[in-house]
Amino acid sequence: MRKLKMEELNRVSVEEFKEQEKLPIVLVLDNVRSLHNVGSAFRTADAFAVSKIFLGGITGTPPHKEINKTALGATESVDWEHTTQTAELVQQLKAEGYQIVAIEQADRSVSLADFTPVLNQKYALVFGNEVFGVADEVMELADTVIEIPQFGTKHSLNISVAVGVVVWDFLSKLNK
């Protein structure tokens, strides 16, 4: 067994990535404080060909050295947009036919293990602030709330980990 060299990975160029088919998923980062988490979300969005990232409220935007540190160039390949009002953005996405899915612990949340995304449905996956979670006004607009099952003593995952877990789960279920 040997590790592959970079030239053996056959990665697409930024231009090819922008033209290729994407998952029918957008990420909405709602008041995410950590620029490293923002950069990580970009890198995950690139890895799994997510359509776009929306950066809401106080969420930092590229270009920024702390975002670039973890994004490793993904801010150039992944389309993104900033909005000061996350709830207004979510209402607009809903009007455009997106199913709004908040990733949060809530009284009527559905376990990620039990959620099956529908082929050809567009999804907006909303990830909230590291301390306060998804804002209440955004939660009220959610069609579904998904909770990632956890079995240890901690009650949450870092947002960068949560983005990876949820997007991979959606991708694997949609490709079945």
Side-chain angles (χ1 to χ4, degrees), residues 26-52:
V26 297
L27 304 181
V28 178
L29 304 186
D30 179 31
N31 291 308
V32 173
R33 296 175 310 153
S34 166
L35 298 176
H36 293 279
N37 284 338
V38 175
S40 181
F42 269 96
R43 196 160 161 195
T44 299
D46 177 277
F48 299 127
V50 166
S51 296
K52 189 172 189 174

PDB file of all heavy atoms in Angstrom, residues 26-52:
ATOM      1  N   VAL A  26     -27.138  23.976  -0.406  1.00  0.00           N
ATOM      2  CA  VAL A  26     -26.394  25.171  -0.034  1.00  0.00           C
ATOM      3  C   VAL A  26     -26.201  25.129   1.478  1.00  0.00           C
ATOM      4  O   VAL A  26     -27.020  24.552   2.204  1.00  0.00           O
ATOM      5  CB  VAL A  26     -27.104  26.478  -0.455  1.00  0.00           C
ATOM      6  CG1 VAL A  26     -27.230  26.552  -1.974  1.00  0.00           C
ATOM      7  CG2 VAL A  26     -28.456  26.642   0.213  1.00  0.00           C
ATOM      8  N   LEU A  27     -25.107  25.702   1.928  1.00  0.00           N
ATOM      9  CA  LEU A  27     -24.845  25.821   3.360  1.00  0.00           C
ATOM     10  C   LEU A  27     -25.163  27.243   3.787  1.00  0.00           C
ATOM     11  O   LEU A  27     -24.823  28.198   3.076  1.00  0.00           O
ATOM     12  CB  LEU A  27     -23.381  25.522   3.679  1.00  0.00           C
ATOM     13  CG  LEU A  27     -22.817  24.187   3.231  1.00  0.00           C
ATOM     14  CD1 LEU A  27     -21.356  24.058   3.665  1.00  0.00           C
ATOM     15  CD2 LEU A  27     -23.638  23.036   3.772  1.00  0.00           C
ATOM     16  N   VAL A  28     -25.793  27.374   4.942  1.00  0.00           N
ATOM     17  CA  VAL A  28     -26.055  28.679   5.528  1.00  0.00           C
ATOM     18  C   VAL A  28     -25.359  28.691   6.887  1.00  0.00           C
ATOM     19  O   VAL A  28     -25.699  27.899   7.761  1.00  0.00           O
ATOM     20  CB  VAL A  28     -27.572  28.936   5.701  1.00  0.00           C
ATOM     21  CG1 VAL A  28     -27.805  30.289   6.368  1.00  0.00           C
ATOM     22  CG2 VAL A  28     -28.292  28.833   4.357  1.00  0.00           C
ATOM     23  N   LEU A  29     -24.370  29.563   7.022  1.00  0.00           N
ATOM     24  CA  LEU A  29     -23.663  29.705   8.296  1.00  0.00           C
ATOM     25  C   LEU A  29     -24.246  30.924   9.001  1.00  0.00           C
ATOM     26  O   LEU A  29     -24.101  32.055   8.542  1.00  0.00           O
ATOM     27  CB  LEU A  29     -22.161  29.863   8.076  1.00  0.00           C
ATOM     28  CG  LEU A  29     -21.467  28.762   7.265  1.00  0.00           C
ATOM     29  CD1 LEU A  29     -19.966  28.983   7.256  1.00  0.00           C
ATOM     30  CD2 LEU A  29     -21.803  27.375   7.787  1.00  0.00           C
ATOM     31  N   ASP A  30     -24.927  30.680  10.103  1.00  0.00           N
ATOM     32  CA  ASP A  30     -25.665  31.716  10.828  1.00  0.00           C
ATOM     33  C   ASP A  30     -24.849  32.219  12.011  1.00  0.00           C
ATOM     34  O   ASP A  30     -24.770  31.552  13.043  1.00  0.00           O
ATOM     35  CB  ASP A  30     -27.005  31.130  11.286  1.00  0.00           C
ATOM     36  CG  ASP A  30     -27.846  32.101  12.079  1.00  0.00           C
ATOM     37  OD1 ASP A  30     -27.749  33.322  11.832  1.00  0.00           O
ATOM     38  OD2 ASP A  30     -28.604  31.635  12.961  1.00  0.00           O
ATOM     39  N   ASN A  31     -24.237  33.392  11.856  1.00  0.00           N
ATOM     40  CA  ASN A  31     -23.466  34.027  12.937  1.00  0.00           C
ATOM     41  C   ASN A  31     -22.352  33.146  13.489  1.00  0.00           C
ATOM     42  O   ASN A  31     -22.167  33.041  14.700  1.00  0.00           O
ATOM     43  CB  ASN A  31     -24.401  34.480  14.070  1.00  0.00           C
ATOM     44  CG  ASN A  31     -25.280  35.622  13.646  1.00  0.00           C
ATOM     45  OD1 ASN A  31     -24.800  36.621  13.134  1.00  0.00           O
ATOM     46  ND2 ASN A  31     -26.583  35.464  13.830  1.00  0.00           N
ATOM     47  N   VAL A  32     -21.603  32.520  12.589  1.00  0.00           N
ATOM     48  CA  VAL A  32     -20.469  31.681  12.996  1.00  0.00           C
ATOM     49  C   VAL A  32     -19.288  32.595  13.331  1.00  0.00           C
ATOM     50  O   VAL A  32     -18.865  33.401  12.500  1.00  0.00           O
ATOM     51  CB  VAL A  32     -20.116  30.668  11.885  1.00  0.00           C
ATOM     52  CG1 VAL A  32     -18.835  29.918  12.223  1.00  0.00           C
ATOM     53  CG2 VAL A  32     -21.282  29.703  11.689  1.00  0.00           C
ATOM     54  N   ARG A  33     -18.777  32.479  14.536  1.00  0.00           N
ATOM     55  CA  ARG A  33     -17.710  33.370  15.012  1.00  0.00           C
ATOM     56  C   ARG A  33     -16.332  32.981  14.516  1.00  0.00           C
ATOM     57  O   ARG A  33     -15.529  33.840  14.187  1.00  0.00           O
ATOM     58  CB  ARG A  33     -17.650  33.379  16.554  1.00  0.00           C
ATOM     59  CG  ARG A  33     -18.862  33.934  17.231  1.00  0.00           C
ATOM     60  CD  ARG A  33     -18.740  33.775  18.732  1.00  0.00           C
ATOM     61  NE  ARG A  33     -18.388  32.404  19.068  1.00  0.00           N
ATOM     62  CZ  ARG A  33     -17.728  32.023  20.142  1.00  0.00           C
ATOM     63  NH1 ARG A  33     -17.332  32.898  21.025  1.00  0.00           N
ATOM     64  NH2 ARG A  33     -17.460  30.753  20.374  1.00  0.00           N
ATOM     65  N   SER A  34     -16.029  31.704  14.514  1.00  0.00           N
ATOM     66  CA  SER A  34     -14.676  31.247  14.212  1.00  0.00           C
ATOM     67  C   SER A  34     -14.393  31.269  12.715  1.00  0.00           C
ATOM     68  O   SER A  34     -15.061  30.585  11.932  1.00  0.00           O
ATOM     69  CB  SER A  34     -14.463  29.827  14.739  1.00  0.00           C
ATOM     70  OG  SER A  34     -13.292  29.261  14.193  1.00  0.00           O
ATOM     71  N   LEU A  35     -13.382  32.022  12.342  1.00  0.00           N
ATOM     72  CA  LEU A  35     -12.985  32.081  10.934  1.00  0.00           C
ATOM     73  C   LEU A  35     -12.403  30.743  10.474  1.00  0.00           C
ATOM     74  O   LEU A  35     -12.503  30.405   9.299  1.00  0.00           O
ATOM     75  CB  LEU A  35     -12.006  33.233  10.718  1.00  0.00           C
ATOM     76  CG  LEU A  35     -12.568  34.615  11.039  1.00  0.00           C
ATOM     77  CD1 LEU A  35     -11.498  35.685  10.884  1.00  0.00           C
ATOM     78  CD2 LEU A  35     -13.779  34.933  10.184  1.00  0.00           C
ATOM     79  N   HIS A  36     -11.826  29.996  11.401  1.00  0.00           N
ATOM     80  CA  HIS A  36     -11.337  28.648  11.050  1.00  0.00           C
ATOM     81  C   HIS A  36     -12.512  27.737  10.687  1.00  0.00           C
ATOM     82  O   HIS A  36     -12.419  26.932   9.761  1.00  0.00           O
ATOM     83  CB  HIS A  36     -10.526  28.042  12.203  1.00  0.00           C
ATOM     84  CG  HIS A  36      -9.250  28.761  12.457  1.00  0.00           C
ATOM     85  ND1 HIS A  36      -8.111  28.549  11.721  1.00  0.00           N
ATOM     86  CD2 HIS A  36      -8.943  29.720  13.355  1.00  0.00           C
ATOM     87  CE1 HIS A  36      -7.150  29.332  12.166  1.00  0.00           C
ATOM     88  NE2 HIS A  36      -7.628  30.057  13.155  1.00  0.00           N
ATOM     89  N   ASN A  37     -13.627  27.866  11.408  1.00  0.00           N
ATOM     90  CA  ASN A  37     -14.820  27.084  11.075  1.00  0.00           C
ATOM     91  C   ASN A  37     -15.366  27.479   9.710  1.00  0.00           C
ATOM     92  O   ASN A  37     -15.817  26.632   8.940  1.00  0.00           O
ATOM     93  CB  ASN A  37     -15.901  27.255  12.144  1.00  0.00           C
ATOM     94  CG  ASN A  37     -15.607  26.463  13.398  1.00  0.00           C
ATOM     95  OD1 ASN A  37     -14.865  25.491  13.373  1.00  0.00           O
ATOM     96  ND2 ASN A  37     -16.181  26.892  14.507  1.00  0.00           N
ATOM     97  N   VAL A  38     -15.332  28.758   9.397  1.00  0.00           N
ATOM     98  CA  VAL A  38     -15.786  29.229   8.084  1.00  0.00           C
ATOM     99  C   VAL A  38     -14.903  28.624   6.991  1.00  0.00           C
ATOM    100  O   VAL A  38     -15.402  28.083   6.001  1.00  0.00           O
ATOM    101  CB  VAL A  38     -15.781  30.775   8.014  1.00  0.00           C
ATOM    102  CG1 VAL A  38     -16.126  31.252   6.606  1.00  0.00           C
ATOM    103  CG2 VAL A  38     -16.748  31.360   9.031  1.00  0.00           C
ATOM    104  N   GLY A  39     -13.609  28.692   7.174  1.00  0.00           N
ATOM    105  CA  GLY A  39     -12.686  28.126   6.186  1.00  0.00           C
ATOM    106  C   GLY A  39     -12.877  26.638   6.008  1.00  0.00           C
ATOM    107  O   GLY A  39     -12.851  26.108   4.896  1.00  0.00           O
ATOM    108  N   SER A  40     -13.112  25.946   7.110  1.00  0.00           N
ATOM    109  CA  SER A  40     -13.351  24.505   7.047  1.00  0.00           C
ATOM    110  C   SER A  40     -14.634  24.187   6.287  1.00  0.00           C
ATOM    111  O   SER A  40     -14.695  23.215   5.517  1.00  0.00           O
ATOM    112  CB  SER A  40     -13.417  23.935   8.459  1.00  0.00           C
ATOM    113  OG  SER A  40     -13.622  22.549   8.422  1.00  0.00           O
ATOM    114  N   ALA A  41     -15.670  25.003   6.473  1.00  0.00           N
ATOM    115  CA  ALA A  41     -16.924  24.799   5.734  1.00  0.00           C
ATOM    116  C   ALA A  41     -16.679  24.964   4.227  1.00  0.00           C
ATOM    117  O   ALA A  41     -17.217  24.205   3.415  1.00  0.00           O
ATOM    118  CB  ALA A  41     -17.994  25.776   6.214  1.00  0.00           C
ATOM    119  N   PHE A  42     -15.862  25.932   3.853  1.00  0.00           N
ATOM    120  CA  PHE A  42     -15.518  26.101   2.443  1.00  0.00           C
ATOM    121  C   PHE A  42     -14.806  24.864   1.903  1.00  0.00           C
ATOM    122  O   PHE A  42     -15.109  24.385   0.810  1.00  0.00           O
ATOM    123  CB  PHE A  42     -14.621  27.336   2.243  1.00  0.00           C
ATOM    124  CG  PHE A  42     -15.376  28.592   1.969  1.00  0.00           C
ATOM    125  CD1 PHE A  42     -15.685  29.471   2.995  1.00  0.00           C
ATOM    126  CD2 PHE A  42     -15.767  28.923   0.676  1.00  0.00           C
ATOM    127  CE1 PHE A  42     -16.383  30.641   2.749  1.00  0.00           C
ATOM    128  CE2 PHE A  42     -16.466  30.092   0.416  1.00  0.00           C
ATOM    129  CZ  PHE A  42     -16.775  30.952   1.452  1.00  0.00           C
ATOM    130  N   ARG A  43     -13.871  24.359   2.672  1.00  0.00           N
ATOM    131  CA  ARG A  43     -13.108  23.193   2.215  1.00  0.00           C
ATOM    132  C   ARG A  43     -14.006  21.970   2.064  1.00  0.00           C
ATOM    133  O   ARG A  43     -13.901  21.209   1.099  1.00  0.00           O
ATOM    134  CB  ARG A  43     -11.984  22.915   3.206  1.00  0.00           C
ATOM    135  CG  ARG A  43     -10.927  22.006   2.652  1.00  0.00           C
ATOM    136  CD  ARG A  43      -9.675  22.179   3.446  1.00  0.00           C
ATOM    137  NE  ARG A  43      -8.783  21.058   3.286  1.00  0.00           N
ATOM    138  CZ  ARG A  43      -7.768  20.828   4.082  1.00  0.00           C
ATOM    139  NH1 ARG A  43      -7.522  21.642   5.089  1.00  0.00           N
ATOM    140  NH2 ARG A  43      -6.997  19.791   3.883  1.00  0.00           N
ATOM    141  N   THR A  44     -14.931  21.777   2.994  1.00  0.00           N
ATOM    142  CA  THR A  44     -15.880  20.673   2.903  1.00  0.00           C
ATOM    143  C   THR A  44     -16.816  20.866   1.714  1.00  0.00           C
ATOM    144  O   THR A  44     -17.108  19.923   0.986  1.00  0.00           O
ATOM    145  CB  THR A  44     -16.678  20.546   4.222  1.00  0.00           C
ATOM    146  OG1 THR A  44     -15.752  20.281   5.285  1.00  0.00           O
ATOM    147  CG2 THR A  44     -17.711  19.442   4.144  1.00  0.00           C
ATOM    148  N   ALA A  45     -17.279  22.091   1.513  1.00  0.00           N
ATOM    149  CA  ALA A  45     -18.163  22.385   0.371  1.00  0.00           C
ATOM    150  C   ALA A  45     -17.458  22.082  -0.943  1.00  0.00           C
ATOM    151  O   ALA A  45     -18.070  21.550  -1.879  1.00  0.00           O
ATOM    152  CB  ALA A  45     -18.617  23.842   0.413  1.00  0.00           C
ATOM    153  N   ASP A  46     -16.185  22.383  -1.034  1.00  0.00           N
ATOM    154  CA  ASP A  46     -15.411  22.058  -2.231  1.00  0.00           C
ATOM    155  C   ASP A  46     -15.287  20.540  -2.388  1.00  0.00           C
ATOM    156  O   ASP A  46     -15.526  20.000  -3.468  1.00  0.00           O
ATOM    157  CB  ASP A  46     -14.022  22.697  -2.152  1.00  0.00           C
ATOM    158  CG  ASP A  46     -13.142  22.335  -3.330  1.00  0.00           C
ATOM    159  OD1 ASP A  46     -12.532  21.241  -3.299  1.00  0.00           O
ATOM    160  OD2 ASP A  46     -13.070  23.126  -4.287  1.00  0.00           O
ATOM    161  N   ALA A  47     -14.940  19.855  -1.312  1.00  0.00           N
ATOM    162  CA  ALA A  47     -14.719  18.405  -1.372  1.00  0.00           C
ATOM    163  C   ALA A  47     -15.945  17.651  -1.862  1.00  0.00           C
ATOM    164  O   ALA A  47     -15.835  16.681  -2.615  1.00  0.00           O
ATOM    165  CB  ALA A  47     -14.310  17.878   0.004  1.00  0.00           C
ATOM    166  N   PHE A  48     -17.134  18.113  -1.459  1.00  0.00           N
ATOM    167  CA  PHE A  48     -18.361  17.396  -1.784  1.00  0.00           C
ATOM    168  C   PHE A  48     -19.232  18.109  -2.820  1.00  0.00           C
ATOM    169  O   PHE A  48     -20.388  17.742  -3.025  1.00  0.00           O
ATOM    170  CB  PHE A  48     -19.158  17.105  -0.514  1.00  0.00           C
ATOM    171  CG  PHE A  48     -18.404  16.246   0.466  1.00  0.00           C
ATOM    172  CD1 PHE A  48     -18.241  16.659   1.780  1.00  0.00           C
ATOM    173  CD2 PHE A  48     -17.847  15.037   0.085  1.00  0.00           C
ATOM    174  CE1 PHE A  48     -17.538  15.879   2.689  1.00  0.00           C
ATOM    175  CE2 PHE A  48     -17.134  14.250   0.982  1.00  0.00           C
ATOM    176  CZ  PHE A  48     -16.987  14.675   2.289  1.00  0.00           C
ATOM    177  N   ALA A  49     -18.674  19.127  -3.479  1.00  0.00           N
ATOM    178  CA  ALA A  49     -19.357  19.853  -4.568  1.00  0.00           C
ATOM    179  C   ALA A  49     -20.710  20.408  -4.140  1.00  0.00           C
ATOM    180  O   ALA A  49     -21.734  20.202  -4.783  1.00  0.00           O
ATOM    181  CB  ALA A  49     -19.492  18.984  -5.815  1.00  0.00           C
ATOM    182  N   VAL A  50     -20.703  21.136  -3.032  1.00  0.00           N
ATOM    183  CA  VAL A  50     -21.891  21.852  -2.561  1.00  0.00           C
ATOM    184  C   VAL A  50     -22.092  23.057  -3.476  1.00  0.00           C
ATOM    185  O   VAL A  50     -21.135  23.683  -3.927  1.00  0.00           O
ATOM    186  CB  VAL A  50     -21.701  22.272  -1.085  1.00  0.00           C
ATOM    187  CG1 VAL A  50     -22.735  23.282  -0.648  1.00  0.00           C
ATOM    188  CG2 VAL A  50     -21.718  21.042  -0.188  1.00  0.00           C
ATOM    189  N   SER A  51     -23.326  23.418  -3.731  1.00  0.00           N
ATOM    190  CA  SER A  51     -23.638  24.491  -4.680  1.00  0.00           C
ATOM    191  C   SER A  51     -23.149  25.869  -4.256  1.00  0.00           C
ATOM    192  O   SER A  51     -22.636  26.629  -5.077  1.00  0.00           O
ATOM    193  CB  SER A  51     -25.145  24.562  -4.930  1.00  0.00           C
ATOM    194  OG  SER A  51     -25.580  23.368  -5.541  1.00  0.00           O
ATOM    195  N   LYS A  52     -23.324  26.209  -2.975  1.00  0.00           N
ATOM    196  CA  LYS A  52     -23.001  27.570  -2.544  1.00  0.00           C
ATOM    197  C   LYS A  52     -22.979  27.632  -1.025  1.00  0.00           C
ATOM    198  O   LYS A  52     -23.617  26.822  -0.360  1.00  0.00           O
ATOM    199  CB  LYS A  52     -24.054  28.542  -3.089  1.00  0.00           C
ATOM    200  CG  LYS A  52     -23.753  29.999  -2.914  1.00  0.00           C
ATOM    201  CD  LYS A  52     -24.782  30.842  -3.676  1.00  0.00           C
ATOM    202  CE  LYS A  52     -24.381  32.305  -3.690  1.00  0.00           C
ATOM    203  NZ  LYS A  52     -25.292  33.105  -4.533  1.00  0.00           N
TER     204      LYS A  52
END
